[in-house]
Amino acid sequence: MRRVGITFLAALAAVSVVSVSANPLPSTTQLTSSQPTGTKKCHVNPTPFVIPSLQEWDGGSGNWKLNANTRIVVDPSFANGGALDADSTFMRNPSNLKQYAASFQADISEVTGVNVEVVVSSTYGANDIFLTLGADSTDPELNNEGYLLDITRKGISIQGVTSRGAFWGTRSVLQMLILADERGYALPHGHARDFPNYSERKFMQDIARKPIPMSDLHEYATLSSFYKFNTLHHHYNDNPGMQVKSLMPDWQTKYAGFRLRTENPEYSMYASNDTSYTKQDMREFQDFIKARGLDLIPEIDTPAHSLCFTKFHPNWSIQNDTARGDWLDLGNPEVQPFLEGLWTEFIDWFDSREVSIGADEYDPTKGDLARKFINSMHDYFATNFNRSIRMWGSDVRLQGSIEINQNIHTDHWDWTYSSPVDLVKRGHKVSNLNAPDSYLVPRTLSYEDFIDSRKIYNLWEPWVFDIFDKTNTSRNLSPNEPLLTGGGLGNWNDFLSESVTRVELFDRVSRALDVFGEKLWAGAKNSDHISYDKWAPLAKKLRENIPGITLRRRPQTKGQFVMSYDFENGVTDASGNAYDATLQNGATIVEAGEGHGRAAQLTPDSYISTPVDAISYPYAVAMWIKPSGDQQPNAVILESEDGRVLISNNTSPTVIFEQDGNQYNTQVILPPGQWSHLAFSADTQQTTVFFNMRRVATVQYYNPRWDVLANSTMLVTAPLSTIGSAKGNSMSGLVDGFVVLDRASYGGEMAFLGKRYADALP
């Protein structure tokens, strides 16, 4: 490529520890509300912004500053846990103060670059952050998860009722540090008394219909914990929406996911081949989440949503054409013993004292049969495992004379299936996952594709089950209802893996969890005096800087150019980011001619590796490409963990996008033996493909489900780890003028990019 890269980029860019005794924090009577009072104080620090917002704040004057001498000091009296720790969680063997300190240590290092030391000591200095217990457990508001926070010239002290409560205090300090990056990580002096309004703050995720790698589940846990969620709920089995057998005779061929893989041959057949988790996977995952303050509720959903079982045992499905193929026949004497054996196989994988049996959307003509099954499962778990169960609200749809055991915790999700008001009257604990407000279903026509955060911030509360009629006591509960445990966000992936990429899904969830975290902990308190328009920009900064998160896929860049290789100086990056690439396995730089100067030449075994794995929307990727006439099937142009850009040779050299193993055809044909300019750009709505600087296609997903039958645009994550493939299937040919922008681009700019890098179009 001729040397125009640097000037072109510039042109387009124009477009020591003092020991003190570890004293307890001030008593709660010394702390005042964060709401303004009639007494004017001089130089009072305002309430620091965190999500969820602090319940109470008494501002002082001056600041505490993180520095190279800062330590995390753990009180030896509570390093291995406190007497009340077990009462604050569903999980056996909850994490202790020392384990939480290790999580906090890693977070501070990633956010600030300061490597703080964790020590166990009864004294701490002015530079330190002290973690201890002893906050007043008899204070009904502090409950088991509250904490007291003291930031003074003597250091920072976080005092929890339990170890988990102290950890929530570290989340507040961590967020303050993120927002104080431009002030040298200086935090305001003051006292906070903070506590959750609700005991259950849950993120529920359907991981049955979207294969999600265990590494992603770790990141969802990190994300949830950041906003003081205390519960994850994993839905391990499901299938797409089903019609009755007479309308879906091929029901046994439909996708069915079951994510737990045992070595026991009696149950191993049900595990999904695309993604499943072993007992060791689940052990490591639960150890990880417990060190981040989280419980896990496992769900195996029966007797509906059970295609993963009925496709192997069609005689276990209800034997008539007016029933769905994924409904287990509870009248079949083989079914319930199988389900009891299934849970017996997996129950010891999980530490939670509460599990979910699902029990929703079953045959409404078999109400009493289903109610009898639900009660028998309650008794089975109580007798055999000393565990309680929960279910999705179903009593309205499953009419019958048998009363469902009131000790069963109910996740309310739809008024046509249950009434939260009636459930409470009958003595059931209720959690609010009412659709559509709390439902996130990508590419749906019925629920939220993206959660409306402004609506949730201004209108939703855990006690609100009808945002249009909040004062109606027949449609909502009291904010102080003791049987209302809380609520949360439910992510359902009804349209299977191909409907949403891993990165798209994480983006949707991350944009929603912050506002639900706010309302589940502090309720309307913050939105009463901070408008959404003031809250949202700070929430965005926090969301973009959460430690331990890689799924954002946004590489750091000094300007709009992320990478730029013109190949005149080998594979040196001209963007200013020093993302220099490496020629691998025989990839070379050659004189290309035809106005291109030097270009990179690839063979099937050679490739170019870059320091950037991928980029998520918004972005633009552009290159000149001259494929040879002899390509392997699905020859790789670009590749990363998230997917590939391919040349498919099934009938013609067509450009294919692959994400999470699913392929999306663009109908763009790359003529062999000649230069073409290929580019693609993603904004928040779609991924556009450009061929020779003209917009020619968008990446689309066709939803074949019987009640949808529609196209949807996809937001592709651009794979950047390699140009070509490290797996021996690279495209053969030349590549030139490779450019990545950190924003979307359009036809005019693509023409500018292309023409500036070559004498003429082909």
Side-chain angles (χ1 to χ4, degrees):
M1 168 92 22
R2 56 196 180 93
R3 191 187 303 275
V4 297
I6 295 176
T7 55
F8 164 65
L9 299 185
L12 189 55
V15 197
S16 108
V17 177
V18 178
S19 181
V20 296
S21 297
N23 296 316
L25 290 170
S27 69
T28 57
T29 58
Q30 293 175 277
L31 295 172
T32 62
S33 169
S34 62
Q35 302 299 323
T37 66
T39 304
K40 186 176 182 180
K41 299 172 69 175
C42 297
H43 309 296
V44 172
N45 290 322
T47 306
F49 184 92
V50 296
I51 299 175
S53 58
L54 299 173
Q55 295 278 17
E56 296 177 3
W57 172 259
D58 184 14
S61 60
N63 297 285
W64 174 93
K65 194 168 185 178
L66 182 78
N67 59 66
N69 296 316
T70 296
R71 304 174 304 165
I72 300 172
V73 181
V74 180
D75 189 336
S77 300
F78 306 107
N80 295 317
L84 298 176
D85 282 1
D87 296 331
S88 70
T89 173
F90 285 137
M91 307 290 274
R92 297 176 300 195
N93 305 316
S95 288
N96 57 46
L97 212 54
K98 191 160 56 174
Q99 292 167 323
Y100 285 131
S103 298
F104 189 30
Q105 176 190 37
D107 293 339
I108 290 179
S109 176
E110 183 173 339
V111 165
T112 69
V114 177
N115 295 316
V116 298
E117 180 185 7
V118 175
V119 299
V120 177
S121 175
S122 59
T123 60
Y124 68 101
N127 296 311
D128 297 335
I129 303 172
F130 183 61
L131 304 183
T132 187
L133 304 185
D136 189 356
S137 61
T138 64
D139 183 338
E141 286 186 321
L142 279 185
N143 55 65
N144 282 332
E145 294 185 87
Y147 65 92
L148 304 174
L149 171 64
D150 194 10
I151 306 174
T152 74
R153 61 182 178 81
K154 295 181 180 181
I156 294 180
S157 178
I158 302 172
Q159 186 180 51
V161 176
T162 62
S163 297
R164 179 149 73 170
F167 181 69
W168 298 144
T170 72
R171 301 304 83 188
S172 295
V173 172
L174 179 65
Q175 292 187 17
M176 292 181 201
L177 288 170
I178 291 172
L179 297 178
D181 59 338
E182 296 178 358
R183 303 192 303 273
Y185 303 111
L187 306 188
H189 287 168
H191 310 289
R193 176 175 174 267
D194 199 20
F195 50 87
N197 287 345
Y198 295 94
S199 62
E200 181 171 274
R201 305 175 303 282
K202 180 167 74 173
F203 172 48
M204 174 272 155
Q205 191 164 35
D206 169 10
I207 60 176
R209 288 178 285 197
K210 171 69 179 175
I212 298 181
M214 184 57 73
S215 59
D216 289 13
L217 295 183
H218 281 70
E219 295 201 22
Y220 282 109
T222 297
L223 176 69
S224 303
S225 172
F226 186 76
Y227 298 117
K228 301 189 179 76
F229 282 73
N230 64 359
T231 305
L232 301 175
H233 177 153
H234 284 171
H235 181 79
Y236 289 119
N237 68 292
D238 215 327
N239 42 264
M242 306 287 285
Q243 294 176 286
V244 297
K245 291 179 179 179
S246 61
L247 298 177
M248 188 178 281
D250 62 344
W251 60 271
Q252 285 181 260
T253 68
K254 303 301 181 182
Y255 181 87
F258 184 76
R259 299 300 173 202
L260 303 178
R261 180 176 294 277
T262 177
E263 295 180 359
N264 183 344
E266 187 174 354
Y267 302 103
S268 60
M269 72 180 80
Y270 307 115
S272 299
N273 291 324
D274 49 9
T275 298
S276 56
Y277 316 120
T278 66
K279 185 176 184 179
Q280 183 62 28
D281 290 334
M282 297 312 305
R283 176 70 274 138
E284 293 172 358
F285 178 70
Q286 289 172 98
D287 290 344
F288 177 85
I289 69 170
K290 284 195 287 188
R292 283 148 187 84
L294 290 161
D295 296 345
L296 174 64
I297 295 173
E299 177 188 343
I300 299 177
D301 193 359
T302 60
H305 302 277
S306 296
L307 184 61
C308 57
F309 308 126
T310 60
K311 71 187 308 179
F312 287 95
H313 311 282
N315 59 306
W316 288 0
S317 68
I318 297 175
Q319 300 297 299
N320 65 64
D321 286 343
T322 62
R324 289 177 8 188
D326 65 335
W327 286 344
L328 286 165
D329 183 359
L330 293 176
N332 186 318
E334 296 179 354
V335 168
Q336 185 156 341
F338 165 76
L339 295 178
E340 292 174 353
L342 183 76
W343 271 110
T344 300
E345 176 68 23
F346 292 110
I347 191 67
D348 286 340
W349 289 28
F350 299 102
D351 291 344
S352 178
R353 295 193 297 264
E354 183 170 280
V355 303
S356 176
I357 63 166
D360 63 319
E361 298 188 298
Y362 189 58
D363 187 344
T365 68
K366 300 184 181 298
D368 267 340
L369 189 62
R371 287 166 173 251
K372 180 181 177 181
F373 165 75
I374 292 166
N375 287 341
S376 68
M377 292 301 284
H378 168 272
D379 296 342
Y380 183 77
F381 277 91
T383 301
N384 292 279
F385 310 122
N386 193 29
R387 307 201 196 196
S388 59
I389 67 170
R390 65 196 298 154
M391 61 180 286
W392 294 100
S394 301
D395 58 299
V396 170
R397 183 61 63 92
L398 295 174
Q399 291 292 318
S401 60
I402 298 174
E403 183 68 25
I404 295 175
N405 192 305
Q406 68 175 11
N407 293 316
I408 297 174
H409 197 163
T410 302
D411 289 304
H412 169 83
W413 68 283
D414 190 301
W415 279 93
T416 61
Y417 283 83
S418 66
S419 164
V421 176
D422 289 344
L423 285 166
V424 164
K425 287 179 180 178
R426 297 201 304 273
H428 290 269
K429 291 186 295 183
V430 173
S431 183
N432 184 355
L433 279 88
N434 188 53
D437 304 321
S438 299
Y439 264 33
L440 171 61
V441 187
R443 306 255 146 62
T444 184
L445 301 179
S446 303
Y447 299 115
E448 302 272 15
D449 186 12
F450 282 86
I451 290 293
D452 184 346
S453 294
R454 184 185 295 273
K455 179 187 77 172
I456 300 301
Y457 187 81
N458 289 327
L459 298 174
W460 188 85
E461 300 288 340
W463 55 271
V464 173
F465 293 81
D466 186 345
I467 64 170
F468 297 107
D469 198 5
K470 294 169 68 172
T471 61
N472 187 339
T473 57
S474 69
R475 300 282 293 176
N476 303 284
L477 297 176
S478 163
N480 300 315
E481 169 55 56
L483 291 176
L484 175 62
T485 56
L489 173 69
N491 160 224
W492 295 96
N493 298 304
D494 287 21
F495 305 129
L496 306 182
S497 177
E498 59 266 31
S499 68
V500 64
T501 72
R502 292 165 53 210
V503 176
E504 282 184 296
L505 181 60
F506 187 83
D507 181 55
R508 282 164 165 77
V509 172
S510 66
R511 291 170 185 263
L513 280 185
D514 52 5
V515 69
F516 277 98
E518 177 68 50
K519 302 311 282 285
L520 287 163
W521 181 280
K525 177 181 179 297
N526 202 36
S527 52
D528 280 346
H529 67 279
I530 298 178
S531 70
Y532 178 80
D533 290 332
K534 292 181 179 179
W535 182 88
L538 294 171
K540 181 175 183 290
K541 182 171 181 177
L542 288 177
R543 184 169 65 245
E544 293 176 350
N545 290 279
I546 302 173
I549 299 299
T550 67
L551 280 167
R552 290 192 64 251
R553 301 293 198 261
R554 295 296 294 171
Q556 293 184 345
T557 182
K558 296 177 181 178
Q560 61 181 323
F561 285 89
V562 178
M563 299 191 300
S564 178
Y565 306 131
D566 64 12
F567 302 114
E568 294 302 315
N569 294 311
V571 286
T572 301
D573 175 25
S575 71
N577 294 315
Y579 289 140
D580 297 346
T582 304
L583 299 170
Q584 304 279 10
N585 276 19
T588 59
I589 305 298
V590 300
E591 292 293 337
E594 302 178 84
H596 282 268
R598 308 183 78 195
Q601 185 169 50
L602 301 179
T603 63
D605 292 326
S606 64
Y607 62 97
I608 301 169
S609 61
T610 84
V612 178
D613 185 64
I615 187 169
S616 179
Y617 54 92
Y619 68 81
V621 176
M623 73 192 83
W624 286 94
I625 185 168
K626 184 180 180 180
S628 69
D630 184 20
Q631 300 290 338
Q632 298 186 53
N634 291 329
V636 177
I637 302 173
L638 297 172
E639 187 172 61
S640 77
E641 174 192 351
D642 296 301
R644 304 184 295 176
V645 181
L646 309 171
I647 301 175
S648 171
N649 278 324
N650 292 335
T651 56
S652 59
T654 306
V655 176
I656 300 286
F657 286 88
E658 184 179 276
Q659 300 273 282
D660 306 343
N662 305 300
Q663 293 192 350
Y664 309 91
N665 196 328
T666 67
Q667 306 300 322
V668 174
I669 297 175
L670 291 177
Q674 67 182 62
W675 284 105
S676 300
H677 192 261
L678 176 67
F680 54 102
S681 176
D683 54 21
T684 59
Q685 301 298 320
Q686 62 188 7
T687 306
T688 305
V689 184
F690 299 85
F691 180 70
N692 287 338
M693 284 73 79
R694 294 177 177 86
R695 180 183 183 276
V696 294
T698 58
V699 181
Q700 293 195 336
Y701 150 72
Y702 177 72
N703 190 335
R705 204 174 98 160
W706 54 274
D707 58 346
V708 181
L709 301 177
N711 282 320
S712 297
T713 56
M714 298 292 293
L715 293 176
V716 170
T717 301
L720 300 174
S721 182
T722 59
I723 303 172
S725 173
K727 301 174 183 177
N729 195 39
S730 298
M731 60 147 283
S732 296
L734 300 175
V735 176
D736 200 7
F738 186 85
V739 175
V740 179
L741 296 174
D742 78 336
R743 58 175 176 79
S745 189
Y746 303 94
E749 278 194 334
M750 288 300 173
F752 187 56
L753 279 168
K755 291 177 182 178
R756 287 286 296 183
Y757 275 102
D759 287 336
L761 291 175

